[in-house]
Amino acid sequence: MQAYIFEPYLKSVIWGGDKIASLKHVDTDQQQIGESWEISAVPGHASIVANGPEKGQNLQQLVEKHGAALMGHHVYERYGNLFPLLVKIIDAKRDLSVQVHPNDELAKQRHNSLGKTEMWYILDTEPGAKIHAGMSQEITPDDYTHLVAEDKIMDVVAAHDSHPGDVFFLPAGRIHAIGAGNLLAEIQETSDITYRVYDYGRIDADGKPRQLHTQEAKDAIDYKVYPDYLTHYDHESKGIVPLISCDHFKIEKADVEGAMQIPMPEDSFLIIMALDGAAMVKVDDNEPISLKRGHTMLVPASCRHISAMGIATLLLASA
């Protein structure tokens, strides 16, 4: 099988900026682009293949046609025809709303959907940029309700200075928000379920306050306080460095300087995003694919050999 690249789905939002189009070298008049959906099987927004003989087909069609050959046997047994990961680039010119996502059990019960565990890799920041993740002090569900009503919920949400290369793991239930001035890569479960907790009193295009999901979020939040919310790893280490391993995905970082062999994960597809630089990526006997900063590719599970040539930092994700 070939490796796939996809047409990005660019999403304009009230907090979006102007960095994604230039990052991806996309010629567009679209304004306030806050998200580029790089690889998506979300219904209505399934990614469209941009290369090879299956150009024009979407990711859902690929899954239905290739099944385990694309996803891996154990991944296909677990998820069936649902591709399990959603990959985005996010540009926050303004603060995003404070959110929480349900876990798989609650999402299945309420929405017949996967929950949403996610991770962020910070690509670039402006001075003073913050990431909000986790609780700064332990509260009860009733405390939470009162704090939201009194417009004081941010008093108990932890704030972190944000720097390029920082990694944040956000298991379902962890309250969070992307602060203004962050450009980041996001990898998450395939779910578009968000409970909005707080939105700074903003209004939408119709002049109305954006909807909050105070009661839905109350049962979804993890109210515990954890010692640290930043994922620590050796920033100077060369080669392939593990970042996150959880029940939903495994994330690694690869620094390519010249030629590198990239191992395929066992019985899973591999997503490769160029975080910096550029590399020619060759999969099996197929023609090499030029992968530049801000671009993403999907390598099917049935592929065996991946080599990269260039100077680049790559994010590797598997299920």
Side-chain angles (χ1 to χ4, degrees), residues 58-313:
N58 67 41
L59 179 55
Q60 186 59 44
Q61 292 172 314
L62 297 183
V63 171
E64 292 171 1
K65 179 168 36 172
H66 298 298
L70 175 68
M71 294 172 63
H73 290 283
H74 90 275
V75 179
Y76 193 63
E77 287 175 4
R78 178 176 179 181
Y79 295 102
N81 283 333
L82 175 63
F83 190 82
L85 298 184
L86 172 58
V87 180
K88 301 178 183 178
I89 296 173
I90 295 177
D91 174 21
K93 186 172 183 178
R94 300 168 63 192
D95 293 328
L96 271 71
S97 59
V98 181
Q99 307 173 355
V100 72
H101 308 295
N103 61 24
D104 287 349
E105 182 180 3
L106 188 59
K108 179 70 174 177
Q109 174 187 330
R110 288 182 176 175
H111 311 284
N112 193 30
S113 169
L114 292 179
K116 188 173 174 183
T117 287
E118 58 191 319
M119 65 82 64
W120 296 332
Y121 183 101
I122 309 300
L123 295 169
D124 200 5
T125 59
E126 295 178 3
K130 303 281 186 185
I131 289 291
H132 302 276
M135 310 300 295
S136 61
Q137 65 186 69
E138 196 160 325
I139 61 172
T140 67
D142 286 341
D143 291 335
Y144 152 79
T145 303
H146 294 311
L147 286 165
V148 171
E150 295 167 5
D151 212 23
K152 294 180 178 179
I153 190 63
M154 296 305 289
D155 292 350
V156 298
V157 178
H160 317 272
D161 292 329
S162 179
H163 310 92
D166 283 350
V167 173
F168 291 89
F169 177 53
L170 302 160
R174 181 164 294 173
I175 197 167
H176 61 272
I178 301 172
N182 281 289
L183 178 70
L184 58 84
E186 176 179 278
I187 296 175
Q188 59 161 91
E189 291 182 81
T190 294
S191 171
D192 207 24
I193 299 171
T194 294
Y195 297 153
R196 189 180 294 125
V197 172
Y198 178 67
D199 196 42
Y200 313 96
R202 290 186 292 209
I203 59 174
D204 62 19
D206 298 323
K208 299 177 181 178
R210 295 212 294 168
Q211 182 182 5
L212 300 182
H213 309 96
T214 305
Q215 290 306 311
E216 295 93 334
K218 182 177 181 179
D219 297 332
I221 293 173
D222 178 359
Y223 294 96
K224 295 178 185 176
V225 175
Y226 294 88
D228 199 351
Y229 294 102
L230 181 68
T231 297
H232 296 277
Y233 68 97
D234 185 353
H235 289 243
E236 304 304 319
S237 180
K238 300 302 180 183
I240 296 177
V241 178
L243 299 180
I244 294 168
S245 182
C246 69
D247 189 46
H248 308 288
F249 46 70
K250 178 181 179 182
I251 311 294
E252 299 171 305
K253 182 172 75 77
D255 286 299
V256 180
E257 294 183 357
M260 172 184 279
Q261 297 295 315
I262 298 175
M264 276 296 295
E266 184 177 350
D267 200 23
S268 171
F269 59 84
L270 182 66
I271 292 167
I272 307 176
M273 176 188 284
L275 302 172
D276 203 4
M280 297 298 294
V281 181
K282 184 173 176 59
V283 176
D284 292 341
D285 295 325
N286 297 294
E287 286 294 315
I289 291 174
S290 176
L291 201 64
K292 299 178 181 179
R293 185 177 192 233
H295 290 77
T296 310
M297 64 188 293
L298 171 63
V299 182
S302 59
C303 296
R304 290 292 172 261
H305 303 288
I306 307 174
S307 61
M309 174 70 74
I311 299 177
T313 301

